[in-house]
Amino acid sequence: MYEGKTHTLFAKYAIPQMIGLLFNSVYMIVDGVFIGHRLGTDAMASAAVSVPLIEVLIALSMAIASGAGVLISGHIGRAEKDKAVQVFNTAVVCAMGLGLFVIVFGNLFIDPLASLLGSTPQIHDEAICYMWYIVTFSPFLILSFLFSGLARNDGRPRLAMFALAFGSVSNIVLDYVFMYPLNMGIGGAALATALGPIFSCIILLPHFLRRRGNLFFAKFQLRVQRMGRIFLLGFPSFIMEFTIGIITFVYNSAIARHGYGELGLAAYLVIGYLMLIILTLFLGMAEGLQPVFSYFTGTGEVARGRAMRIFATKVFLVVGIVCYILIVFFSRYFFSIFNPNDLELIDFIESKSLYYFCGFFLAGYNILMISFWQSTRRTEKALIVSLSRSVIWPPILIAVLPLFFGSESIWFCHSIGEALTACTAFILLSYNHHRERLADVPLQ
């Protein structure tokens, strides 16, 4: 299952997950395109309010999937299949319980939640309408990412890719049906987004129900200790995915505070879509490599794990540089898709995106190191890097830089944060290598 050369394993595991998540990002973008064309800029701003919520739900699902995946791949590597099944079933119960929690409390507090996420009085009703569908259908969103992650750990990366892709394509089709022939407005767009994950679950469930791999539904003992280990090992992944939601929330607040208004919110929605594509490339490859890193840790093949990390670092940096070159020369065409008649909006987005993405090529390195350290159970290092690129540097920079350089400086903050995080990750890696070299030196 994990035999072959480094580049072969990279292609087998990293690329399918990247493609699957990319399709997921595309359906969110197409959702924005339909909203912009059919309903206008205010409706786009309404949808933007729910983006942090969606990212939080995905982050929670990825936390369970990654934490369980690290344990499962390790157990499979040590031929402990019974323990792998126990972890799988525990993860499913955790995900279902989390989904029910979101339904109950999300609907109870939906009004203040919308305000917290950046809703303005002008768009508040539409924002709540969109958010209601996301909250109510949240268990399917959580389970779709969980099942795809665990199918990948069970040696079925292509099935995981197909399930995510099919759910995304169905959302695109439903977007058109609900918003044009049925004329359902912003609620139709939200319903299409909410239904997509259901199709992904339907595709993935037979793999586990029919016992086509090492993981399947079975009786098990629900142990608090096992649940704790899943969440502990998955916490860096939660922060890594949650970063998108955190950054969106911080920027939505900063945009409102610095007087950019609905134009700024709509612009950042589109910038956020482009950010989502780039981060999805990195997140998909990093998550795809998690089973590989965890398996090598379980079998004790340290050299193969190191070789994979070095090869992946080169790939991630090249992908990041190419992405920024494409943004410089072709981003206007992408931005024009959403609202081609609003030239003011397009000009605003184009000027700010060059600042926003200038240091994004380093985001891939940061995400790779989080995945590598998490997969090899060095959770503290993964957590330091995850927190650095989410709750530490971006909020601090957004709060401080405008005091010295004006409101325009907020558009540089995300890239500067990624650069500072990359420095942190490099220092941690260098320190680790130094300790390993000292350990290899024989005592005199």
Side-chain angles (χ1 to χ4, degrees):
M1 190 162 61
Y2 295 98
E3 299 300 323
K5 296 182 179 179
T6 299
H7 64 274
T8 303
L9 285 174
F10 186 94
K12 180 179 178 180
Y13 283 90
I15 301 303
Q17 178 66 3
M18 181 194 72
I19 294 173
L21 285 187
L22 192 59
F23 269 99
N24 186 71
S25 299
V26 166
Y27 90 65
M28 293 181 67
I29 292 168
V30 172
D31 195 54
V33 172
F34 276 111
I35 292 172
H37 280 258
R38 184 67 166 169
L39 304 174
T41 301
D42 282 356
M44 290 175 65
S46 302
V49 172
S50 289
V51 170
L53 174 62
I54 294 172
E55 294 301 336
V56 168
L57 294 175
I58 294 174
L60 290 168
S61 179
M62 287 297 184
I64 300 172
S66 297
V70 170
L71 293 173
I72 286 169
S73 292
H75 287 315
I76 292 175
R78 294 186 294 272
E80 299 170 341
K81 295 184 179 180
D82 289 343
K83 292 183 179 180
V85 172
Q86 293 285 314
V87 174
F88 164 74
N89 285 277
T90 301
V92 173
V93 170
C94 289
M96 293 178 66
L98 178 63
L100 293 175
F101 178 88
V102 173
I103 288 178
V104 174
F105 289 95
N107 279 297
L108 280 176
F109 300 104
I110 194 167
D111 191 88
L113 181 60
S115 299
L116 177 66
L117 295 178
S119 172
T120 64
Q122 184 174 335
I123 61 173
H124 192 67
D125 290 342
E126 286 191 323
I128 287 180
C129 176
Y130 195 98
M131 191 177 295
W132 181 87
Y133 285 97
I134 303 303
V135 168
T136 304
F137 287 81
S138 60
F140 298 103
L141 178 64
I142 294 170
L143 285 171
S144 69
F145 280 93
L146 175 67
F147 286 146
S148 68
L150 296 182
R152 192 173 65 250
N153 278 273
D154 205 15
R156 299 294 301 276
R158 292 183 181 178
L159 175 65
M161 175 192 73
F162 176 74
L164 290 176
F166 188 89
S168 303
V169 171
S170 69
N171 176 74
I172 294 171
V173 174
L174 293 175
D175 257 326
Y176 171 78
V177 173
F178 292 159
M179 295 186 69
Y180 282 87
L182 298 182
N183 198 29
M184 293 173 63
I186 193 75
L191 179 59
T193 300
L195 291 178
I198 295 178
F199 295 105
S200 297
C201 290
I202 292 172
I203 292 171
L204 289 162
L205 272 172
H207 173 77
F208 305 110
L209 290 171
R210 298 180 181 178
R211 304 191 176 195
R212 293 173 176 171
N214 294 306
L215 306 178
F216 49 85
F217 294 102
K219 292 182 179 179
F220 72 104
Q221 293 181 337
L222 187 63
R223 295 179 179 175
V224 175
Q225 183 181 11
R226 185 182 292 125
M227 294 171 62
R229 291 188 69 193
I230 289 173
F231 281 104
L232 179 63
L233 290 171
F235 191 63
S237 262
F238 169 76
I239 298 297
M240 185 166 62
E241 288 283 346
F242 190 37
T243 294
I244 302 175
I246 293 173
I247 296 297
T248 305
F249 169 69
V250 170
Y251 264 94
N252 280 352
S253 300
I255 285 166
R257 187 168 64 251
H258 290 284
Y260 288 106
E262 280 74 25
L263 176 68
L265 283 173
Y268 190 67
L269 174 66
V270 179
I271 288 177
Y273 284 143
L274 185 54
M275 174 181 69
L276 188 62
I277 291 176
I278 298 172
L279 291 183
T280 294
L281 296 175
F282 297 140
L283 288 167
M285 290 189 290
E287 289 167 4
L289 292 174
Q290 175 267 308
V292 181
F293 288 136
S294 296
Y295 182 83
F296 289 157
T297 301
T299 57
E301 298 175 89
V302 177
R304 292 186 72 191
R306 185 183 297 114
M308 177 62 77
R309 175 181 58 77
I310 293 171
F311 177 80
T313 297
K314 296 175 183 177
V315 174
F316 277 52
L317 289 174
V318 169
V319 170
I321 293 169
V322 170
C323 284
Y324 189 67
I325 292 172
L326 293 175
I327 288 171
V328 171
F329 291 103
F330 303 107
S331 61
R332 188 175 183 88
Y333 299 103
F334 175 80
F335 299 143
S336 299
I337 294 172
F338 294 87
N339 203 337
N341 297 322
D342 195 338
L343 296 181
E344 180 188 9
L345 177 63
I346 295 170
D347 291 339
F348 184 88
I349 301 172
E350 184 179 26
S351 64
K352 301 302 183 274
S353 65
L354 296 179
Y355 309 149
Y356 189 84
F357 292 106
C358 61
F360 244 59
F361 69 97
L362 293 170
Y365 174 73
N366 296 332
I367 290 170
L368 173 64
M369 293 311 301
I370 294 168
S371 179
F372 172 73
W373 280 323
Q374 177 189 19
S375 302
T376 55
R377 303 198 186 189
R378 284 172 275 190
T379 310
E380 69 285 348
K381 290 184 175 66
L383 190 57
I384 289 170
V385 178
S386 292
L387 293 174
S388 293
R389 65 183 298 267
S390 56
V391 300
I392 297 177
W393 290 121
I396 291 174
L397 292 168
I398 287 174
V400 173
L401 286 190
L403 299 177
F404 297 95
F405 303 104
S407 61
E408 284 288 296
S409 64
I410 67 171
W411 303 102
F412 286 98
C413 292
H414 196 173
S415 282
I416 296 174
E418 294 287 3
L420 292 171
T421 301
C423 292
T424 303
F426 184 76
I427 291 169
L428 290 172
L429 184 63
S430 299
Y431 176 71
N432 188 64
H433 284 171
H434 178 67
R435 290 186 62 184
E436 288 177 354
R437 284 196 297 269
L438 288 177
D440 291 337
V441 175
L443 295 175
Q444 301 296 323

